[in-house]
Amino acid sequence: MGPSPTTLSKLKLGKLRVVRRRLLQRYEHQPYVSCLAGLYGCQWRRYQRTLATPGDCCCSKLECVSFALLIMTFCLTLVFLYFWSEAQNDYNDFDWFNFGNLGFWFPWSVVLLVIAAAFFSYVTLLLLLAVCLLSEGQKLYLHWGHKIGILVTLAFSIVATAVLSDLWSKEWTTLLLSFQVTAPYLHVGGVLLVTLLSWPIALHFFRINKKVGRTLIMGLYLAVLCALYLVPLGMYSPCLKKEGALGPAPALIGHRGAPMLAPENTLMSFEKAVEAGGEGLETDVTISYDGVPFLMHDRTLRRTTNVQKVFPNRTDAPAAMFTWGELETLNAGDWFLYRDPFGTAWSLGAEDRAQAQNQSVCTLRDFLELAAQRGKQVIFDLYRPPRGHPYRDTWITRTLEVIQNESSIHSHQVLWLPPDLRNLVQKMDPDLQQTSGSWGPVEELQQNHIVQLNLHYSSMSTEMISEYAAVNISTNLYVISQPWLYSLAWCSGAQSVTTNSPQLLNKLTRPLFLMTPDEYNLMWVLTDVVSFILILIIFIFHWWRERGLAFCSGSKPTLEHGTYSKFRTEMSDVWSVSSVNILGEPAGSPLATEPNLATVSEH
């Protein structure tokens, strides 16, 4: 015969009580805690550690300060790491800026990123160890070596942020732009992190007796939680669009060609840009001492030629003070292979490497001929020669001569950017597409026959681009090389972008982040609601658990050698009770009277 219904009900009741006992008990996982305490405070021996007594603070005043400093360092390091990782679009400018000041090439941008990532990983590990120790009820003790490490990390973050803010303040605009793409994901990640932190927060909230401590913990936690929940109210992104509202992808204009695949401002670089899908070519024009317009971005030849080897006494001389015969003797491609400014030279095949090594300074005429043959638009900055140069006052007319008489390019393919003598240029060649490097009132731009704006990407504005497009003035943004920034320009409605990486951006078939407002609102609300429910469940569980411990024990548990030891053998009693019920004992079994509960310590 099987067990009676009464026996089965007792058996189920016994199992429920076993589960309840397990939930109410606290265990010390010795190997796990030893590892945490050893890594955090070098407390590898058990007698070195102290368990936090219920009602007391988790650590001494000194350790509270250390923990607060750790949190502050984590936040500042996170801000700097995010700031510098989002600045990757301009790493090349940063490295060449240092080259101009230091006189030698080194990828300082990547080094700074690696250092920032290492420091962030270090403080994140310490913070994770601290949270885990708090979750195990252990008192915190941070080793003095880690305290020094935190101070070094904090100093690095403050100094690096201050220096970059002073020298490169425009990058903060890039940071703000990045939020228009990353904010939805940062919101979800932040809510998830705060939801996970609710476990140790709730544990210590219900174990602390002092009202000030409880108020401080709960006040800070709720403030952060509410801020995260409501962040989307202030979020704006042009990539939140209704179905079908996204316009065509911006056309790609190769910045000095394709400088990731070939030496900048060389014929090879422009050919690579065309092959990568570039619809336009951008460059910089200087006029030689004997009147030959040629391509060169810098004031000197030191960065992109071997002038130091060929003309060692004229390394810092203005490029415009060289004759074309002298410029022809220079190598304009070998530097690309041994300096490798974008870290992409390794990807070149043997044939491309050989071609790069033999590049020479390119004339404006050859550049225009390549564009004419491939049917591409061109845009260029035109530098006025220095004082004492024969063409200092005729540099514009000399350039127009090359466009009109020495090349086969059509004037309408040229986006004329130089602002000097614009009215004269318009009269001499009205087919040139007048382009302005700064925005202004629509009426003023139309009076100057402006048909295109060439603006730095930090000026990106959906409203401004739309306003100019309404009067047939297109907007080109420079220099955009990162997919996220190109996605933002796409969503903002820019007609074209100047880029260092046409071979990468040409592969994007849609913006990285594109969502309808309804889809985003659903994601936002679901994230907040699920988080709130989970946090509520966690707090209710800890309240029930702490209340159950206090009620069942009838008094505060005592401490022995830093761990709870009262009623260590209850689990064996529970399993004995269950065994008796399985055999079908009568209702007077020990399960009828629940013994006192306390914390079990596994030694």
Side-chain angles (χ1 to χ4, degrees):
M1 292 180 61
S4 64
T6 304
T7 303
L8 287 175
S9 62
K10 291 180 179 179
L11 180 59
K12 292 179 180 179
L13 180 62
K15 289 181 178 180
L16 289 175
R17 288 180 174 176
V18 169
V19 172
R20 183 170 182 269
R21 288 176 186 274
R22 287 184 175 180
L23 290 175
L24 287 175
Q25 290 163 352
R26 296 193 186 102
Y27 292 87
E28 179 183 311
H29 307 91
Q30 181 60 33
Y32 172 64
V33 174
S34 295
C35 182
L36 294 176
L39 293 174
Y40 187 78
C42 291
Q43 296 177 311
W44 296 102
R45 295 181 178 85
R46 189 176 182 188
Y47 65 81
Q48 294 177 309
R49 305 194 310 271
T50 305
L51 194 68
T53 306
D56 291 344
C57 184
C58 61
C59 47
S60 64
K61 292 183 179 179
L62 177 61
E63 293 306 318
C64 280
V65 173
S66 298
F67 185 60
L69 191 64
L70 175 60
I71 295 176
M72 183 175 69
T73 303
F74 170 80
C75 294
L76 290 178
T77 309
L78 175 61
V79 169
F80 178 76
L81 179 62
Y82 179 80
F83 163 75
W84 194 239
S85 62
E86 293 303 315
Q88 287 186 41
N89 187 79
D90 301 321
Y91 277 3
N92 190 55
D93 294 339
F94 179 78
D95 290 334
W96 287 126
F97 171 80
N98 288 318
F99 174 83
N101 288 288
L102 301 176
F104 64 92
W105 167 262
F106 194 76
W108 295 107
S109 57
V110 177
V111 172
L112 193 57
L113 180 64
V114 171
I115 293 175
F119 277 135
F120 176 73
S121 300
Y122 171 66
V123 295
T124 301
L125 177 61
L126 288 181
L127 189 60
L128 184 62
L129 291 172
V131 171
C132 291
L133 283 170
L134 291 175
S135 299
E136 290 293 322
Q138 298 290 324
K139 280 198 171 185
L140 297 182
Y141 171 76
L142 184 64
H143 191 262
W144 63 268
H146 288 321
K147 292 176 181 176
I148 294 176
I150 290 174
L151 291 176
V152 171
T153 304
L154 181 62
F156 166 80
S157 300
I158 293 174
V159 171
T161 302
V163 171
L164 288 174
S165 296
D166 182 54
L167 298 178
W168 219 15
S169 58
K170 69 177 184 179
E171 286 305 311
W172 288 108
T173 304
T174 306
L175 181 71
L176 296 178
L177 286 175
S178 73
F179 287 143
Q180 296 182 14
V181 174
T182 61
Y185 307 106
L186 293 177
H187 170 249
V188 173
V191 170
L192 175 62
L193 178 62
V194 174
T195 302
L196 293 175
L197 286 176
S198 64
W199 184 272
I201 294 290
L203 173 67
H204 286 275
F205 175 78
F206 289 112
R207 295 187 66 189
I208 292 177
N209 290 332
K210 296 180 180 178
K211 292 184 178 179
V212 175
R214 298 181 72 171
T215 303
L216 182 62
I217 289 177
M218 186 55 64
L220 288 174
Y221 183 73
L222 289 179
V224 173
L225 186 64
C226 291
L228 282 174
Y229 281 172
L230 299 178
V231 155
L233 288 176
M235 194 199 104
Y236 164 77
S237 174
C239 290
L240 291 175
K241 291 182 175 294
K242 295 181 179 179
E243 288 287 347
L246 180 67
L252 301 176
I253 298 177
H255 183 236
R256 306 173 204 168
M260 290 185 177
L261 304 177
E264 67 179 57
N265 279 334
T266 62
L267 285 178
M268 178 184 178
S269 184
F270 296 117
E271 290 169 353
K272 290 290 186 183
V274 172
E275 292 172 5
E279 298 182 32
L281 303 172
E282 186 273 349
T283 188
D284 312 275
V285 177
T286 302
I287 299 179
S288 70
Y289 196 78
D290 52 352
V292 178
F294 67 98
L295 312 187
M296 185 59 56
H297 174 268
D298 297 2
R299 187 185 70 87
T300 70
L301 302 167
R302 183 164 62 100
R303 181 174 67 90
T304 57
T305 71
N306 61 340
V307 66
Q308 191 168 7
K309 179 180 179 181
V310 180
F311 302 104
N313 297 326
R314 302 173 65 187
T315 300
D316 295 320
M321 301 306 287
F322 287 78
T323 66
W324 177 245
E326 293 171 332
L327 293 169
E328 281 186 305
T329 63
L330 299 176
N331 185 303
D334 193 48
W335 66 274
F336 175 77
L337 297 177
Y338 65 80
R339 284 181 184 152
D340 194 10
F342 292 96
T344 54
W346 62 270
S347 64
L348 300 183
E351 184 177 345
D352 284 342
R353 295 180 68 88
Q355 185 181 359
Q357 286 179 325
N358 293 315
Q359 293 299 298
S360 57
V361 177
C362 182
T363 64
L364 175 61
R365 177 185 176 278
D366 290 340
F367 167 72
L368 295 176
E369 282 300 311
L370 186 148
Q373 293 171 7
R374 303 300 182 91
K376 304 300 179 182
Q377 289 188 328
V378 299
I379 182 172
F380 54 83
D381 283 314
L382 179 60
Y383 301 142
R384 187 179 185 182
R387 295 183 184 279
H389 193 282
Y391 290 85
R392 176 169 173 78
D393 297 325
T394 58
W395 85 107
I396 288 182
T397 55
R398 177 69 189 105
T399 304
L400 286 174
E401 286 178 8
V402 175
I403 295 174
Q404 295 172 332
N405 305 324
E406 300 178 22
S407 69
S408 60
I409 195 168
H410 298 293
S411 295
H412 64 80
Q413 291 178 254
V414 179
L415 304 175
W416 184 264
L417 183 60
D420 305 273
L421 305 176
R422 190 180 292 278
N423 290 332
L424 174 63
V425 172
Q426 175 66 19
K427 291 179 181 179
M428 293 180 64
D429 194 341
D431 290 334
L432 294 172
Q433 296 194 49
Q434 294 296 325
T435 304
S436 174
S438 60
W439 61 275
V442 171
E443 295 77 10
E444 180 182 334
L445 295 175
Q446 289 178 327
Q447 288 175 2
N448 291 324
H449 307 284
I450 300 298
V451 298
Q452 179 154 324
L453 296 176
N454 186 54
L455 306 176
H456 189 265
Y457 70 80
S458 60
S459 303
M460 190 186 311
S461 166
T462 304
E463 293 77 13
M464 180 187 69
I465 293 173
S466 177
E467 178 184 355
Y468 289 128
V471 292
N472 295 321
I473 298 178
S474 59
T475 302
N476 178 70
L477 301 174
Y478 70 91
V479 173
I480 291 178
S481 301
Q482 291 294 310
W484 73 264
L485 200 51
Y486 179 69
S487 299
L488 196 59
W490 189 345
C491 293
S492 298
Q495 284 74 33
S496 61
V497 300
T498 302
T499 178
N500 289 323
S501 56
Q503 75 283 0
L504 298 178
L505 302 187
N506 194 41
K507 296 178 181 178
L508 288 180
T509 57
R510 68 188 303 272
L512 295 181
F513 168 65
L514 183 63
M515 198 178 293
T516 66
D518 291 338
E519 289 173 341
Y520 176 67
N521 289 334
L522 179 62
M523 183 183 76
W524 167 30
V525 172
L526 279 179
T527 299
D528 288 358
V529 169
V530 171
S531 169
F532 179 78
I533 293 174
L534 290 176
I535 292 174
L536 189 63
I537 291 173
I538 290 172
F539 269 81
I540 291 175
F541 170 75
H542 280 288
W543 170 80
W544 171 81
R545 190 166 180 259
E546 294 298 323
R547 183 172 175 273
L549 281 168
F551 175 77
C552 294
S553 62
S555 61
K556 293 184 179 180
T558 58
L559 288 171
E560 179 182 319
H561 302 300
T563 58
Y564 295 101
S565 59
K566 193 176 180 182
F567 303 111
R568 294 180 181 173
T569 60
E570 283 196 355
M571 283 304 297
S572 59
D573 293 341
V574 172
W575 289 112
S576 298
V577 170
S578 300
S579 300
V580 170
N581 280 325
I582 290 173
L583 295 176
E585 291 296 324
S589 66
L591 281 175
T593 305
E594 183 181 348
N596 291 336
L597 294 176
T599 302
V600 175
S601 175
E602 292 184 349
H603 295 280

